[in-house]
Amino acid sequence: MKDCFEGINVKEFILFKGEEIECFTKEMAGEEVRKTSDTRILRGRVLDEEENGRFALLNRALKAREEGREDQARETLSNYCQLEYLTKEIFTLI
């Protein structure tokens, strides 16, 4: 986990539609656990139709496939592949 600030650690998770993760937080003083929160379940959500980006495209493709719209799912995945390809070709890591 990434240490953000004075012992506050964070971890980013990308959850797609239908995925879920159980999480909790705990406070420690040295080796002693002072407080633990209740366990929460976080669920992936479907992004709004207006949202763009690779994860929105993947969620739209999943939704279209679940609804039996295979042609729409293929077209959305094609758009996703094009976006990934163009991003790798145009942008480079510094």
Side-chain angles (χ1 to χ4, degrees):
M1 287 186 152
K2 183 179 174 185
D3 188 14
C4 258
F5 178 73
E6 294 187 4
I8 297 173
N9 299 300
V10 297
K11 176 70 177 167
E12 180 180 15
F13 291 92
I14 298 170
L15 298 176
F16 293 98
K17 180 180 181 287
E19 293 182 324
E20 59 185 38
I21 186 169
E22 289 184 26
C23 63
F24 63 92
T25 57
K26 66 180 177 180
E27 256 181 61
M28 297 187 71
E31 296 297 315
E32 179 186 340
V33 176
R34 281 192 179 171
K35 182 179 179 183
T36 301
S37 73
D38 294 332
T39 300
R40 294 178 40 184
I41 297 176
L42 302 176
R43 290 183 175 83
R45 64 179 179 86
V46 175
L47 301 174
D48 294 333
E49 289 297 319
E50 296 84 39
E51 291 188 58
N52 291 310
R54 56 191 184 148
F55 299 122
L57 288 171
L58 289 173
N59 272 328
R60 268 190 229 121
L62 287 170
K63 183 179 177 184
R65 188 164 188 217
E66 285 177 356
E67 294 172 352
R69 298 179 290 129
E70 291 295 326
D71 291 340
Q72 181 66 41
R74 276 192 213 94
E75 182 181 335
T76 304
L77 287 175
S78 175
N79 291 340
Y80 170 82
C81 290
Q82 289 174 8
L83 179 64
E84 284 292 295
Y85 174 78
L86 290 173
T87 300
K88 287 178 184 173
E89 289 298 312
I90 295 172
F91 301 104
T92 57
L93 293 176
I94 298 175

